[in-house]
Amino acid sequence: MRRPREKSKREPTIALINIVFLMLVFFMVAGTLAQPLDRDLKLIRTADLEGRAPPDALVIAQDGTLSYRGTQILSADAFLRRQEHLAQPDIRLIPDRDLPAQDLVRITRALRGGGAGRVLIITERGLE
């Protein structure tokens, strides 16, 4: 009598190929497929324009001082007292680029703890 031949234990490569194919299809569908910009298009350069804060934004200087509409504010609580007519105001912050992150977090926490609804940080956005 002949002994039955043992089956070789191979990895199921078909299943792996199916998974990779499904992932490929998923990322093709879920990914953003945007048209590239026309190569002849020249975007407007704003590097030479003077930056101005929106009128309803709280500006934080590099040294941590606060100002609102050109007036210096002593603290986040003093700013919130000016906003008492709003239930939970959304606060827009414009921090200086060189402001230490610890100061930004401290001021943001003070605003949230004082009753601000949302604290939105306005930043510069570049397209290059």
Side-chain angles (χ1 to χ4, degrees):
M1 272 183 105
R2 284 182 114 183
R3 189 182 226 178
R5 224 172 143 184
E6 288 186 29
K7 292 183 181 180
S8 62
K9 295 185 179 187
R10 287 202 260 172
E11 295 293 320
T13 55
I14 297 296
L16 182 62
I17 291 171
N18 288 340
I19 291 171
V20 171
F21 179 75
L22 288 173
M23 288 175 58
L24 175 67
V25 170
F26 171 78
F27 286 115
M28 284 175 51
V29 171
T32 303
L33 301 175
Q35 289 285 357
L37 291 175
D38 187 7
R39 291 190 186 269
D40 297 330
L41 180 66
K42 303 276 190 239
L43 296 176
I44 298 172
R45 294 194 55 90
T46 59
D48 299 330
L49 296 178
E50 179 183 338
R52 294 182 191 244
D56 62 341
L58 180 63
V59 179
I60 309 172
Q62 177 181 354
D63 60 355
T65 58
L66 306 172
S67 64
Y68 181 69
R69 296 185 178 177
T71 306
Q72 186 171 356
I73 306 293
L74 298 176
S75 68
D77 291 330
F79 174 74
L80 288 172
R81 281 194 296 272
R82 288 182 157 206
Q83 307 292 322
E84 284 181 343
H85 62 281
L86 301 172
Q88 283 189 334
D90 291 342
I91 308 298
R92 288 176 177 75
L93 286 181
I94 301 179
D96 187 271
R97 177 179 300 190
D98 297 325
L99 177 72
Q102 297 91 348
D103 292 343
L104 180 60
V105 170
R106 178 182 50 80
I107 293 169
T108 304
R109 282 185 180 157
L111 289 168
R112 291 286 297 165
R118 291 187 305 169
V119 178
L120 307 167
I121 298 174
I122 300 174
T123 62
E124 180 179 64
R125 181 176 178 183
L127 177 67
E128 297 196 34

